[in-house]
Amino acid sequence: MPTFEKTPRNTVRQKSVRAQYDQATIYRIIDEALICHVGFAEEGQPYVIPTNHARLGDSLIFHGGTTSRLLNHIQSGAEICVAITLLDALVLARSVFSHSMNYRSVVLFGRGHLITDDPEKMRALEALTEHLLPGRWSDARRPTQKELDATTVVAVPIESASAKIRSGPPMDDAEDYRLPVWAGLLPIRQQFLDPVADPKLREGISVPDHVLHYPKRTD
Ligand SMILES: Cc1cc2nc3c(=O)[nH]c(=O)nc-3n(C[C@H](O)[C@H](O)[C@H](O)COP(=O)(O)OP(=O)(O)OC[C@H]3O[C@@H](n4cnc5c(N)ncnc54)[C@H](O)[C@@H]3O)c2cc1C
C-alpha cells in the first residue's frame, strides 16, 4: 500500500495514534471533501483561502480568475499547505475539558504549476466539475475558448501528506464516569436537500438523474 514518507514536516506529533499516512486513506478524505483551505505566505504575511479542489491522480487541481492572488502564488511554484476537514460528530464528554470532535482531516504540502496546454486544462476542469457533481460535465455546456483563456488552472503534485482521524466515544477522566452528566456523540452529516430549480429555467426541463441521485447525498 503506497504511503507518504514521514518527515519532520508531516509527522503528526500531537495525539500521533490518530495519524495515518497511507495514500488510500488520505485520497478518500480529499475526494469526499467539497472544499479545502489553502495556506501560503507572501512577504511574511500568512493567508488561508477556502476554495474548491479536485484530485487528478496524485495532484490537486485548483482554478479561478487570472487575477487571483492564490492562483498566482501557486503558479509561481512557491510552497503551499492545504487543510481538508470532514466533521463527523460533536463529542460530548462529562467534563468540559474532555469535549472533542470526531473528524477526518488531511494536511498536505506541495508546489504547483500552471497548466497551459488546452486539452490538459479541459481535463482538469472536467475533474473539478465531476468532483462537485459526477455527471455534470457531460450535461452542462463545456467552456468556450474565451472562457478557457480567462481561467487559470493549476496543478499541485502532492509531495507530502498526513491524515488525522478521531472516532469513537468521549474519553473522560476515570472519576468523571460517575457524574450525572449525559455524555455521548452528536453525529453530524453533510446533507443535500431537494434541488431548487432556477426561476429562469426553461419550461419542460426536468431535474436530471445525476442531480436527483447525487452520490454524495447521505439521506
Ligand atoms: C475539526 C477539528 C477540530 C480540532 N480541534 C482542536 C482543538 O480544539 N484543539 C487542538 O489542540 N487541536 C484540535 N484539532 C487537532 C489539530 O488539527 C492539530 O492536530 C492539533 O492542534 C496539533 O497541532 P500541532 O500544530 O501541535 O500539530 P503537530 O502534531 O505538531 O503537527 C505536525 C504535523 O502533523 C500534521 N497534522 C497536524 N494536525 C493535523 C490534522 N488535524 N490532520 C492532518 N495532519 C495534521 C501536519 O503535517 C503538521 O505539520 C482539531 C482538528 C480537527 C480536524
Side-chain angles (χ1 to χ4, degrees), residues 9-14 85 101 103 105 107 109 162 164:
R9 185 166 62 160
N10 74 331
T11 300
V12 175
R13 289 171 300 156
Q14 307 293 324
T85 310
M101 288 175 170
Y103 58 81
S105 61
V107 172
F109 301 92
S162 56
K164 195 169 175 183

Side-chain angles (χ1 to χ4, degrees), residues 36-104:
C36 67
H37 289 79
V38 183
F40 59 98
E42 273 186 4
E43 296 174 1
Q45 171 64 55
Y47 299 92
V48 177
I49 304 294
T51 191
N52 167 221
H53 69 277
R55 184 178 62 81
L56 196 54
D58 295 324
S59 294
L60 281 193
I61 304 292
F62 302 99
H63 80 312
T66 50
T67 56
S68 157
R69 178 174 51 203
L70 167 66
L71 294 173
N72 285 333
H73 180 91
I74 296 175
Q75 65 175 286
S76 76
E79 285 281 357
I80 64 163
C81 177
V82 180
I84 296 179
T85 310
L86 301 169
L87 197 52
D88 293 325
L90 300 185
V91 179
L92 305 174
R94 290 153 188 84
S95 70
V96 168
F97 182 81
S98 297
H99 276 61
S100 187
M101 288 175 170
N102 281 347
Y103 58 81
R104 289 162 289 149

